[in-house]
């Protein structure tokens, strides 16, 4: 019986918990994996009705809770909690601040955990390297170096590309105005670097299905890749226009422009991301080479994501376009 610990219940952690619970329920009761969520003590005692409901739903799925504060704990403190688990899946994201991912990796290995799935749900850091875009992913590269340098703990890194929804966030600047498209607002689609540059995208729900299969069934090690879609910015613009039923304004943010903006504001994380994706290295891969294709796991492409945004937008578009 596997003892699984999930770190964090945010945008990715929550669907992973649900997916793990669903797959674990299919095991015979005598060998069913146990799933535990590590959360802060303040979260467990939160007066928020929505948080209380979320925790109740997790309890109803048979998920247990372990309280600890990753931010204030040392690696040795965390190791004392981790040593009772065989598998740890980190869904902490970058909210913990610099040094958190390395601390977790050291804690996992110090605890002698058998298999670790670190927070590497993103681009191909091996290709990107630690210096790209003002060192935005230095720590991610260092986590890989550390894990490869030890033999105590097996590890699996799931490279997912960008979370699909992030590409459509107005603050990122690639797609703007989509929410107002239904009332006649202008929609803008921008290419980072060039219209030919490509980006790989995966939804958290699809990632959760892949991770759950890897944890409970496949258990391969090393770096694997998943992809809901790999699309060029030109292809993205075509898909957005097909969704809204009219032309969008198209602009190119050249790499020179984005580098100049980053040079003027070197600590701006969004500008670092824009430069990284405009460089076009390590941010896309062929869907045919992914683990979800191999395991026959259905994923959501950009067209499916846009279509799933809900009927209210479609109703507004229909009225506006008629």
């Amino acid at each position: 019986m596997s003892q699984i610990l999930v770190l964090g219940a945010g945008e990715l952690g929550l669907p992973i918990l649900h997916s793990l619970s669903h797959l674990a329920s299919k095991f015979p009761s005598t060998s069913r994996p146990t799933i535990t969520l590590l959360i802060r003590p303040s979260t467990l005692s939160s007066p928020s009705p929505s948080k209380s409901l979320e925790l109740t739903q997790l309890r109803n799925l048979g998920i247990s809770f372990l309280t600890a504060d990753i931010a204030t704990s040392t690696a040795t403190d965390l190791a004392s909690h981790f040593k009772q688990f065989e598998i740890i899946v980190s869904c902490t994201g970058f909210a913990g601040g610099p040094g958190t991912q390395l601390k977790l990796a050291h804690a996992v290995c110090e605890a002698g955990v058998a298999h670790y799935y670190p927070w590497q749900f993103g681009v191909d850091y091996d290709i990107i390297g630690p210096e790209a875009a003002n060192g935005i992913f230095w720590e991610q590269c260092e986590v890989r170096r550390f894990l490869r340098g030890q033999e105590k703990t097996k590890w699996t890194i799931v490279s997912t590309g960008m979370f699909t929804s992030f590409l459509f966030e107005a603050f990122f600047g690639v797609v703007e105005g989509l929410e107002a498209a239904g009332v006649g607002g202008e929609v803008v689609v921008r290419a980072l670097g060039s219209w030919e540059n490509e980006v790989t995208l995966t939804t958290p729900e699809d990632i959760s299905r892949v991770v759950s299969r890897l944890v409970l069934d496949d258990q391969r090690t090393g770096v694997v890749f998943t992809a809901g879609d790999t699309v060029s910015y030109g292809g993205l613009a075509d898909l957005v226009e097909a969704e809204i039923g009219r032309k969008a304004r198209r602009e190119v943010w050249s790499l020179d422009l984005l580098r100049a903006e980053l040079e003027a504001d070197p600590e701006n994380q969004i500008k670092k991301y824009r430069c990284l994706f405009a460089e076009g290295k390590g941010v896309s891969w062929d869907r045919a080479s992914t683990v979800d294709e191999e395991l026959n796991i259905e994923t959501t492409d950009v067209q499916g994501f846009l279509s799933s945004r809900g009927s209210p937008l479609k109703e507004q578009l229909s009225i506006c376009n008629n």
Side-chain angles (χ1 to χ4, degrees):
M1 181 184 297
S2 298
Q3 307 282 335
I4 302 168
L5 177 66
V6 177
L7 311 180
E11 183 179 9
L12 180 59
L14 200 56
I16 282 181
L17 286 163
H18 281 267
S19 188
L20 282 172
S21 175
H22 174 70
L23 283 184
S25 68
K26 300 179 182 299
F27 282 66
S29 58
T30 55
S31 60
R32 186 169 299 154
T34 65
I35 304 167
T36 302
L37 169 64
L38 182 76
I39 54 176
R40 292 189 300 270
S42 59
T43 301
L44 193 61
S45 60
S46 172
S48 165
S50 61
K51 180 58 66 176
S52 178
L53 176 61
E54 180 183 293
L55 296 178
T56 297
Q57 290 172 337
L58 292 175
R59 286 192 186 96
N60 291 340
L61 292 174
I63 295 169
S64 303
F65 301 130
L66 172 67
T67 56
D69 192 331
I70 292 173
T72 59
S73 299
T74 66
T76 298
D77 292 336
L78 292 171
S80 68
H81 293 294
F82 292 171
K83 63 183 180 182
Q84 60 185 296
F85 298 97
E86 296 174 50
I87 301 169
I88 293 182
V89 183
S90 177
C91 301
T92 56
F94 299 113
T100 300
Q101 303 308 321
L102 270 173
K103 178 168 65 174
L104 289 172
H106 281 273
V108 164
C109 293
E110 183 179 333
V113 173
H115 203 142
Y116 183 42
Y117 295 79
W119 176 265
Q120 294 264 323
F121 303 103
V123 292
D124 189 343
Y125 303 117
D126 288 330
I127 291 179
I128 289 170
E131 304 300 326
N134 288 9
I136 187 172
F137 290 130
W138 173 87
E139 186 173 355
Q140 296 298 82
C141 293
E142 190 65 14
V143 167
R144 293 190 179 204
R145 187 198 66 79
F146 170 75
L147 291 174
R148 286 169 171 148
Q150 57 82 44
E151 299 180 351
K152 181 182 293 186
T153 297
K154 294 187 296 182
W155 52 270
T156 304
I157 285 170
V158 183
S159 297
T160 63
M162 187 189 297
F163 283 14
T164 307
S165 59
F166 189 81
L167 190 68
F168 294 89
E169 294 286 357
F171 62 78
F172 191 48
V174 172
V175 180
E176 287 189 21
L178 197 58
E179 295 300 330
V183 291
E186 182 182 48
V187 177
V188 183
V189 181
R190 298 186 179 94
L192 299 182
S194 75
W195 291 113
E196 291 73 32
N197 274 359
E198 292 185 329
V199 58
T200 290
L201 308 160
T202 316
T203 68
E205 292 75 19
D206 290 342
I207 297 168
S208 73
R209 286 190 284 272
V210 172
V211 170
S212 298
R213 283 284 301 277
L214 293 174
V215 169
L216 294 177
D217 182 25
D218 192 81
Q219 296 187 348
R220 71 185 68 191
T221 58
V223 180
V224 300
F225 294 84
T226 185
D229 206 348
T230 294
V231 63
S232 69
Y233 291 102
L236 172 68
D238 292 341
L239 289 167
V240 169
E241 289 179 345
E243 181 66 18
I244 65 176
R246 53 189 166 84
K247 291 292 185 181
R249 178 158 60 90
R250 300 189 183 206
E251 298 178 355
V252 177
W253 281 350
S254 70
L255 184 55
D256 287 343
L257 169 68
L258 294 173
R259 282 175 172 166
E261 289 186 347
L262 180 58
E263 185 176 353
D265 191 7
E267 298 306 313
N268 188 302
Q269 292 295 100
I270 296 301
K271 291 179 180 179
K272 289 180 182 180
Y273 281 124
R274 289 173 183 160
C275 271
L276 184 78
F277 282 92
E279 288 171 356
K281 298 177 181 178
V283 298
S284 66
W285 41 84
D286 187 351
R287 292 179 68 188
S289 64
T290 60
V291 68
D292 37 283
E293 284 286 317
E294 181 182 341
L295 297 177
N296 198 29
I297 299 172
E298 186 174 341
T299 56
T300 305
D301 60 15
V302 171
Q303 183 178 15
F305 176 82
L306 286 169
S307 297
S308 70
R309 290 173 65 87
S311 57
L313 173 61
K314 292 184 180 297
E315 292 173 1
Q316 291 175 346
L317 287 169
S318 177
I319 294 170
C320 181
N321 292 334
N322 289 332

